[in-house]
Amino acid sequence: MVMWKLLKYMKNYKKEAFLAPAFKLLEALLELFVPLVMAAIIDVGIKNSDIGYIVNMCLLMAGLGLTGLICSVTAQYFSAKAAVGFTAKLRHELFAHIQSLSFSSMDQVGTSTLITRMTSDMNQVQSGVNLFLRLFLRSPFIVFGAMIMAFTVDVKAAFIFVVVIPVLCVIVFGIILATIPVYKKVQERLDRVVRVTRENLQGVRVIRAFCREKEECRIFGDSNAALVRIQLLSGKISGLLNPMTYVAINVALIVLLYVGANRVDGGFLLQGSVVALVNYMSQILTELVKLANLIITVTKAIACGNRIEAVMEVQPGMEEKVHLDAQYEIDAGKLMSEVPAVVFEDVRFGYQEAGADVLSGISFTAERGETIGIIGGTGSGKTSLVSLIPRFYDVSGGCVKVNGMDVRDYPLAELRRKVGIVMQKAVLFQGTIRENLLWGNEAASDGDLREAIRTAQAEDVVFGAKEGLDAYAGQEGRNFSGGQRQRLSIARALVRRPEILILDDSASALDFATDARLRKAIAGLPGDMTVFIVSQRTSSIQHADKILVLDDGVLAGVGTHEELLETCSIYREIYEFQFPEEKRKAAGREVRS
Amino acid sequence: MKKVLRLLRPHGGLVFLSLLMAVLSVVLTLYVPVLTGRVIDEIVGPGAVQFEEIARIMKVMLFIVLITAGAQWIMNAANNRIVCLVSSEVREQAFEKIEVLPVSYLDAHSSGDLVSRVIADVDQFSDGLLMGFTQFFTGAATILGTLVFMLVTNAGITLVVVLLTPVSLLAARFIAKKTYAMFRLQSEVRGEQTALVDEMVANQKMVQAYGQEEKIQGRFDEINERLRSCSLRAVFFSSITNPVTRFVNSLVYTGVGLTGALCVVRGVMSVGQLSAFLSYANQYTKPFNEISGVVTELQNALACAGRVFELLEAPARTPDAEPAKQLPAHPGNMSLEHVNFSYVPEKKLIQDFNLRVKAGQRIAIVGPTGCGKTTLINLLMRFYDVNSGAIKIEGIDIREVRRSDLRSAFGMVLQETWLSGGTVRDNIAMGRPEAEEKEIIEAAKRAHAHSFILRLPQGYDTIIGENGGSLSQGQKQLLCIARVMLCLPPMLILDEATSSIDIRTESRIQEAFQNMMQGRTSFIVAHRLSTIQNADVILVMQDGNVVEQGNHESLLKRGGAYARLYNSQFALSQEEGRTDVPVRGKQD
């Protein structure tokens, strides 16, 4: 079981994890004495009509109950503390681990999985650990304790316990084991019903447009029927538990009474002791039922724990240099002016889960201060290419150099500080606009923010509203439109005054005019920032110093707009499609020449 | 409650059986301690054991135990059957209901909410209600039976039990009340943490790109610490309930022991009866605790049932006209006459809208996002009904035609793609399940989807994951187009979705669209200048209303909304294509 590895997070709660079961055992022990006291009342007090003895014994029983209460409350406290502390620590570690995962590991695991692990699985583990500490030792202890106490009462009668306990265990555990796989199937089929329903709701327009309502009902009916079949089966199996244990215990009881009667008849045993034995038998039954419920909860918790552990096992997947090479520090000043900002040398790259390479044989140089346009079809590798610059992923072959040094030789934080990237999906985080923009650079003043906002053409978004920088963005910034989010994301990247700015199709929701103004403003910024623009629109990149045309992961052309129009058929095709009248003109030119 | 009973009616026999078995098993279970007590009374002392009597009683006991077990089993099986069947029937009803609900209802309720009604609420309600009901019933029967048995044996001790047990109930209620606030605090903090995790983990790449890991971890830890301390309190205080009720039980046990022993000494009662009493004292409090649990569960179940019934009783869409009129084989002429429509009465949308479309015409709908282009599609497909006025196809009001006939006459490609969970082939053949392989491939080829489908692991047999799964947005779109290509209905509704298909593929699809539109009345939500210019009618929409209609030239001349839109979006991009906007870096 993988989950035991997680137990190391229990380290700080060793004391509690030990004390909780200890107090629980003490309580169980006290409980085991109760039938003995009752037997004494019957055999001594009642027999001798000694009222004083009876009262004393009853006081003793009440005392046992009170001590038991104190013990078990103590146990509950320690186990709650241990369980809650353990999960808090585990949550902290898992969150920290997620923070350290590389992009490719994250793609592998999937964010929705990570979120479930962090939330619902965690809660299951917490209640599992809590129950485990409280009950897992108690129940077996009572079961076997009752048996041992039975031996102290009468050895011969106690042998019935030795027989019946294994029989009960076989029944209880057998049924649990039989239901676990069935439950799993129930879950699977339930998931299917959920999926069918959700799909149906999401596609309601298409379904109705194609008049598929009846068909959908049939599909739902089928999966629903499959669910009911397996539910009935699981009900049949688990429905056996109660009657079977009931029969086993009561048959044992009958045998016990018979043996007891013989022993009393022979003068080896007193009447009260028989009552005590009967009591022990019923204690065992109650505990076994509790244990069965506990096992179900704990199995669930273990399954969740295993899933969490599986995430913990995922390696961060990227080795990181802790310090910059000393040589680099010395040469830094000189390098800055002479070495190109970004160089790709025969880069090959593939995502871990997909077999084929996404990029291959990519080589180009981006000089300091240049604007590089990247264009190409869906899935041609544009986003992958720019993701390699801040080392979101590691190349499979070749190398990427920033300021003349391989990106793998930088500490990640150092490298990423140089890069401002605006991703395809523009996201704002819950908080004010100011807080969001400060992600780029915590030290930025309001003046800096204002400037970045102006450059990003987002003035109307921010300063059009009364709250200005203090305007609040809801979760994922949903209260802003796509275009507004894009402009604010661009502002966020600009706030950090990056050496390299990457705009990954991040103006797609802007109209042409705003897009043009944005590019003009970025071009007008002081300093020699290197800019990468990924776009579907030729108009966005046609004035770049260098345009990279990607086709299925291969560079189909590199050059300026004019050069590419001459040399690159793919580029020409894209351009002429977007500007049909240029095609006519080009045709006209050809005719004239 | 009445509605719930109506659901149970078809299973009346099972319910009756279950209740009968419940009573039987309760009575017999309670009878066993009495018999045990009798046996114990026969075990008086050395040499004084009445073996014959004991053997007789034991035979009875064995018999009773077996019957009880049988009754329990039958009861369990019957209950399980009732729960499963009722919930499955309700689920099916709910699903069928969804299929006939007006689209407006489905638009107004999030799909997550509806899914949870169909699945989780139905489960909760059938489980909680029926199990709660049987538990309540057996619990009450047990309490009543125990009381009767105890009263018959000894009234005095019964009084002790009856007076002491409510203490444990009170204690449990007291603790529950105190912990409620703590639990609420815990779930609040937990919600806060979940929100942070949701936001940050979902955008983890962003967090890393901006090197915010430590700061976020700090925020997380702060919430985590708060969660730890408040959930410690909640977990601890709630877990006190069990020890406390156990303690009260042990007091009851002691009380029974004390008064019982005194009774035996005075000769009012036998030892065997005392033993029976002790086992009752152990059992007696259990049904009380169960019942108090059942009450909350019942409340919860009723709440769920309410949500389920709300769905089941939502008004269905207006039924198809009967007798329905038939559309001609190849409809194409349409007219919209004085159409008024709004989603909510307070906010007027389309007002007195008139349009005449001749067969084979192209109607381009333009306007900024959110201007109500979808509204028009909703009306044409009759997802929504007009408030007044009429939409007519070949002179027939679409409300007089069967919905299925109307919708089959339209081919629709929307921007939001939707694929079902089956294979690629199933998805393309959705509109014509009987289509031949050859036709499917032909349609895929025309939609330029064939080549990428072949590259999928199992080609046309590749199973598509939930809502498209591994396919890119563009690929999904191609499949949706292939779907319409296969049916080739006489009229088309196209949302010219340029957003997710790359330019080169799009140019090919455009070609396919052109072919498809040939001779077909088409409504196109247009983003591209060429489509708009070539359209026979341009509808300019703004704020849900049609503000202008006409063709390109006439609208430009008019200098209204269309002219403004054209100048700001399209003209500028062309201009930019020609003149040199200064871009950083010296070029040429």
Side-chain angles (χ1 to χ4, degrees), chain B residues 376-431:
Chain B
L376 205 59
I377 295 176
N378 280 337
L379 294 180
L380 290 177
M381 294 292 276
R382 213 182 152 203
F383 289 141
Y384 284 76
D385 270 338
V386 295
N387 295 2
S388 65
I391 299 178
K392 290 181 178 169
I393 296 179
E394 301 291 347
I396 304 169
D397 191 318
I398 58 172
R399 281 168 297 187
E400 290 169 1
V401 181
R402 223 175 270 125
R403 278 188 183 77
S404 52
D405 290 346
L406 170 70
R407 289 173 187 165
S408 311
F410 278 109
M412 182 178 77
V413 181
L414 293 186
Q415 197 162 353
E416 38 173 317
T417 52
W418 180 84
L419 298 170
S420 83
T423 62
V424 170
R425 180 182 292 105
D426 293 344
N427 265 293
I428 296 179
M430 180 173 280

Side-chain angles (χ1 to χ4, degrees), chain A residues 331-344:
Chain A
D331 294 351
K334 193 179 76 186
L335 283 168
M336 287 306 266
S337 50
E338 291 172 7
V339 173
V342 177
V343 177
F344 274 55

Side-chain angles (χ1 to χ4, degrees), chain A residues 165-222:
Chain A
I165 290 175
V167 170
L168 283 173
C169 287
V170 168
I171 295 175
V172 171
F173 292 104
I175 289 177
I176 290 175
L177 284 181
T179 43
I180 286 177
V182 181
Y183 270 134
K184 220 180 205 170
K185 268 209 190 112
V186 169
Q187 198 54 46
E188 275 165 24
R189 298 198 182 172
L190 187 66
D191 285 348
R192 205 176 119 72
V193 173
V194 172
R195 206 176 57 228
V196 172
T197 314
R198 183 176 305 136
E199 228 175 60
N200 184 277
L201 286 167
Q202 281 164 351
V204 60
R205 281 184 165 74
V206 178
I207 286 167
R208 297 203 175 173
F210 284 96
C211 308
R212 297 217 343 143
E213 293 99 324
K214 284 215 180 74
E215 177 69 10
E216 288 290 318
C217 279
R218 194 188 57 71
I219 293 173
F220 181 84
D222 285 352

Side-chain angles (χ1 to χ4, degrees), chain A residues 8-21:
Chain A
K8 61 174 180 261
Y9 302 117
M10 194 63 108
K11 216 170 54 198
N12 293 338
Y13 297 94
K14 265 191 209 140
K15 190 181 69 189
E16 286 81 1
F18 172 76
L19 285 177

